[in-house]
Amino acid sequence: MKLKNKIALITGASRGIGKATALLFAKEGAKVVINYFSSKKEALSIVDEIKKMGSEAIAVKCDVSKENEVKEMINKTINTLGRIDIVVNNAGIVYDIPLFERKIEQFKKTIEINLLGTFLCSKYASEQMIKMTNGKIINISSTNAINSFSPDTIDYDASKAGIIMLTKDFAKKLAPKIQVNAIAPGWVYTDMNKNLSKEFIQKETEKIYLKRFAQPEEIAKAILFFASDDSSYITGSVMVIDGGHD
C-alpha cells in the first residue's frame, strides 16, 4: 500500500474528485479526514465506507475561506489522528454566469473559497509539517488556469491560475522537506458539471483527443501519485490531465 499509516486531509471531500481521492487513499492505507461544508450526510457516508475497508476516517465541517475554522480543522486532525502527512486542497466552487452579469459578491466568494482556502489550509498544515520535517501538499487547479479560457467563469479561471502560482511559491518556501504540487484537470464528470447541456458536452467532447470527460477516479490516481513516494523528486510542478485537448 502506497500510503500505509499516512494521515491525509482532503478538503471538499464529500463528492466528486475529493470523494474519489478519499476512497483511493483509504484503499492505499491512509487515515483520512473528510472535510465538508454543507454535505454532512454524504461526508459521514464516506467515513462509514472507509471504516468498512478497515481504515480510519473522520468528517470535519469547515469553511476553508475562514481562517479560524481552518485552524480548528487542523487542530482537530492533529488531536484526533496525531499529525498531518498529506493535504489535498480540493474544495472549490464555480458560477457559470455571463461576464457582465457577474456580481462582486460572487467573484469574491469564488476567490475566497478556491484561492484563499488553498492558501489557509496550506499555511496552517505546513506549519505542522515543518515540525515533522516532511509532508505533501497537492492543490487542485484546472486547465481553465492554463489554456481553456471561459469569460463566463472569469473568477474561477483567475482563482485556479492563482493556485498554480501559490503552488510554486509554497514549493520554494517549504523545500526541501515538503513537496507541493498541483493537478490541472480538464473536463471531469462531477456534480459541478451535472447541469451542462447535452449539446455543450458534445461540443466540448469533440475537442478532447480521447473523446470523453474524465472520471473522478482517474484524477484521484494522479493525486495519489503526488501524495506517494512515487513522486519523491517532484515539487512545484503542475500535471495537466485533460485527455489531450486542442
Side-chain angles (χ1 to χ4, degrees), residues 33-48:
V33 179
I34 307 296
N35 160 251
Y36 70 96
F37 177 65
S38 59
S39 304
K40 181 177 181 179
K41 182 179 178 180
E42 290 81 355
L44 293 177
S45 176
I46 297 168
V47 168
D48 290 340

Side-chain angles (χ1 to χ4, degrees), residues 193-210:
N193 298 322
K194 65 183 179 181
N195 294 322
L196 297 175
S197 69
K198 291 182 179 180
E199 293 77 15
F200 182 83
I201 291 175
Q202 183 176 356
K203 179 181 177 183
E204 290 299 311
T205 299
E206 284 302 312
K207 299 176 185 177
I208 301 170
Y209 299 168
L210 298 184

Side-chain angles (χ1 to χ4, degrees), residues 3 41 50 55 71 126 131 147 164 168 203-204:
L3 301 180
K41 182 179 178 180
I50 289 174
S55 192
K71 286 181 179 179
S126 64
K131 297 175 183 177
N147 57 13
I164 289 178
K168 294 179 180 295
K203 179 181 177 183
E204 290 299 311

Side-chain angles (χ1 to χ4, degrees), residues 9 11 38-39 43 76-77 94 103 146 164 175 199 207 239:
L9 167 62
T11 68
S38 59
S39 304
K76 183 172 182 178
T77 299
V94 63
K103 296 179 180 178
I146 303 169
I164 289 178
E199 293 77 15
K207 299 176 185 177
M239 183 189 295

Side-chain angles (χ1 to χ4, degrees), residues 10-209:
I10 304 173
T11 68
S14 63
R15 61 179 186 168
I17 293 171
K19 176 182 177 181
T21 302
L23 294 175
L24 180 59
F25 277 22
K27 190 180 296 184
E28 291 291 339
K31 299 176 183 179
V32 186
V33 179
I34 307 296
N35 160 251
Y36 70 96
F37 177 65
S38 59
S39 304
K40 181 177 181 179
K41 182 179 178 180
E42 290 81 355
L44 293 177
S45 176
I46 297 168
V47 168
D48 290 340
E49 192 170 347
I50 289 174
K51 288 181 177 179
K52 288 177 182 177
M53 294 181 190
S55 192
E56 189 173 347
I58 60 172
V60 180
K61 181 179 181 180
C62 171
D63 179 343
V64 296
S65 70
K66 306 297 184 186
E67 185 175 22
N68 288 339
E69 292 190 28
V70 171
K71 286 181 179 179
E72 289 175 7
M73 177 172 65
I74 298 298
N75 289 335
K76 183 172 182 178
T77 299
I78 294 170
N79 292 337
T80 305
L81 299 176
R83 64 184 189 279
I84 301 175
D85 299 301
I86 302 160
V87 172
V88 179
N89 286 305
N90 171 71
I93 63 169
V94 63
Y95 296 103
D96 283 300
I97 299 172
L99 189 154
F100 291 111
E101 295 177 20
R102 178 78 56 185
K103 296 179 180 178
I104 294 298
E105 293 76 14
Q106 294 166 333
F107 198 106
K108 285 183 177 179
K109 186 174 182 180
T110 300
I111 297 297
E112 287 172 356
I113 293 176
N114 296 3
L115 184 56
L116 179 60
T118 296
F119 167 74
L120 290 172
C121 292
S122 298
K123 176 184 177 182
Y124 289 109
S126 64
E127 286 180 351
Q128 184 265 157
M129 290 176 175
I130 289 170
K131 297 175 183 177
M132 300 187 334
T133 70
N134 66 79
K136 300 262 194 170
I137 298 174
I138 303 99
N139 299 323
I140 309 304
S141 181
S142 170
T143 55
N144 282 49
I146 303 169
N147 57 13
S148 298
F149 313 121
S150 172
D152 290 350
T153 57
I154 188 169
D155 45 2
Y156 177 84
D157 297 0
S159 71
K160 292 300 185 176
I163 285 173
I164 289 178
M165 292 313 302
L166 187 150
T167 297
K168 294 179 180 295
D169 283 341
F170 264 106
K172 184 173 183 178
K173 181 67 177 179
L174 299 177
K177 297 297 184 179
I178 299 169
Q179 294 166 258
V180 187
N181 292 291
I183 301 288
W187 287 113
V188 185
Y189 284 114
T190 65
D191 287 349
M192 187 177 284
N193 298 322
K194 65 183 179 181
N195 294 322
L196 297 175
S197 69
K198 291 182 179 180
E199 293 77 15
F200 182 83
I201 291 175
Q202 183 176 356
K203 179 181 177 183
E204 290 299 311
T205 299
E206 284 302 312
K207 299 176 185 177
I208 301 170
Y209 299 168

